[in-house]
Amino acid sequence: MYPAGMASTTRSRSKVRERREDVARRVLATVEELMADGTPYTELAVQRIAEQANVARSTFYLQFPDKSRLLIALAEHAVDALFAEAFLWWRADHSDGQDGVDHAMRKTIAAYREHRRILHALGEVAGYDADVAAYWRGRMRSFIDVVQERLDTEQRAGRIDPDMDTPTTAQLLTWMVERTISARSHHDEGPGDARIARSLARSIWLTIYGTAPAAPPAGAS
């Protein structure tokens, strides 16, 4: 049992945390609603967001010091969803061949479309905001590390070309997928997504497994 004073302090801190979490949820939900109506993130004023969320500006800034921090918080779920299926594929056994990566690409494209407004804003703001750029590079770097880890494992096992530059290949594959899906979501409403998924899957599969390891010299054990 906590002493009476300590219990009271613990409850007070819990209530403060709950209030902050409630404010954050309301603000983030409000931004998503406003963006769903077609307003670009860069055109959303803090005053409008605060009024719509029924939050005082001072309270807003206690939770989100600036719009960069707000966008980063908003992007967390979207980026998690974007990478989710691809993470699963890179850590799977690849026994289903190219079909497995095709499935992962379809899911990745669908996730991007679902969160496209936030992801577009993330890419746009990262072009000029150092904090957002650092966040986005960090998330991409984490995924690239997963890809490189798998390529290194395949290389050590002798299943892929021993001369493959795995760090560079991991970067190229990751950015190829992200840039292709991003550009398509900007200019196309989705009828050709299955074709894009198949083409990305083929490119990924052939890059990894299309060059068989060199045969050992004659007479080698």
Side-chain angles (χ1 to χ4, degrees), residues 45-72:
V46 169
Q47 183 64 34
R48 182 183 178 190
I49 297 169
E51 288 177 355
Q52 194 84 8
N54 196 25
V55 171
R57 280 176 65 96
S58 58
T59 303
F60 175 97
Y61 282 119
L62 283 174
Q63 189 68 41
F64 302 105
D66 51 45
K67 281 187 67 182
S68 299
R69 298 296 174 185
L70 174 59
L71 179 56
I72 289 170

Side-chain angles (χ1 to χ4, degrees), residues 82 105 108-113 115-125 136 140 174-190 193 196 200:
L82 177 66
M105 289 299 98
T108 301
I109 292 171
Y112 198 104
R113 288 203 177 279
H115 301 285
R116 64 187 180 279
R117 293 178 180 88
I118 296 171
L119 294 170
H120 286 172
L122 183 64
E124 179 182 359
V125 177
W136 184 223
M140 291 295 287
T174 301
W175 283 109
M176 173 188 71
V177 171
E178 193 279 335
R179 289 290 81 199
T180 298
I181 296 175
S182 174
R184 183 166 185 80
S185 296
H186 271 291
H187 305 295
D188 182 273
E189 292 302 316
D193 283 355
I196 293 295
L200 285 171

Side-chain angles (χ1 to χ4, degrees), residues 106-165:
R106 288 171 185 257
K107 292 289 189 179
T108 301
I109 292 171
Y112 198 104
R113 288 203 177 279
E114 180 180 354
H115 301 285
R116 64 187 180 279
R117 293 178 180 88
I118 296 171
L119 294 170
H120 286 172
L122 183 64
E124 179 182 359
V125 177
Y128 59 81
D129 184 291
D131 290 336
V132 175
Y135 165 79
W136 184 223
R137 284 197 304 270
R139 293 302 304 266
M140 291 295 287
R141 181 68 259 174
S142 296
F143 185 78
I144 290 167
D145 288 345
V146 170
V147 176
Q148 183 183 339
E149 180 182 356
R150 179 54 181 269
L151 294 178
D152 288 340
T153 298
E154 296 292 87
Q155 198 172 58
R156 287 193 298 270
R159 289 188 286 266
I160 64 174
D161 187 350
D163 294 326
M164 179 186 290
D165 179 344

Side-chain angles (χ1 to χ4, degrees), residues 22-36 49 52-53 64 70 74:
D22 179 61
V23 167
R25 282 194 297 268
R26 282 156 53 196
V27 169
L28 295 176
T30 295
V31 174
E32 290 203 53
E33 289 170 6
L34 292 170
M35 292 177 71
I49 297 169
Q52 194 84 8
F64 302 105
L70 174 59
L74 193 66

Side-chain angles (χ1 to χ4, degrees), residues 184-211:
R184 183 166 185 80
S185 296
H186 271 291
H187 305 295
D188 182 273
E189 292 302 316
D193 283 355
R195 186 175 67 253
I196 293 295
R198 284 195 300 272
S199 296
L200 285 171
R202 185 173 187 275
S203 297
I204 292 167
W205 189 264
L206 291 179
T207 297
I208 302 170
Y209 299 111
T211 304

Side-chain angles (χ1 to χ4, degrees), residues 87-98:
F87 268 123
L88 291 176
W89 184 78
W90 280 104
R91 287 169 170 158
D93 62 11
H94 296 183
S95 59
D96 50 2
Q98 195 171 311

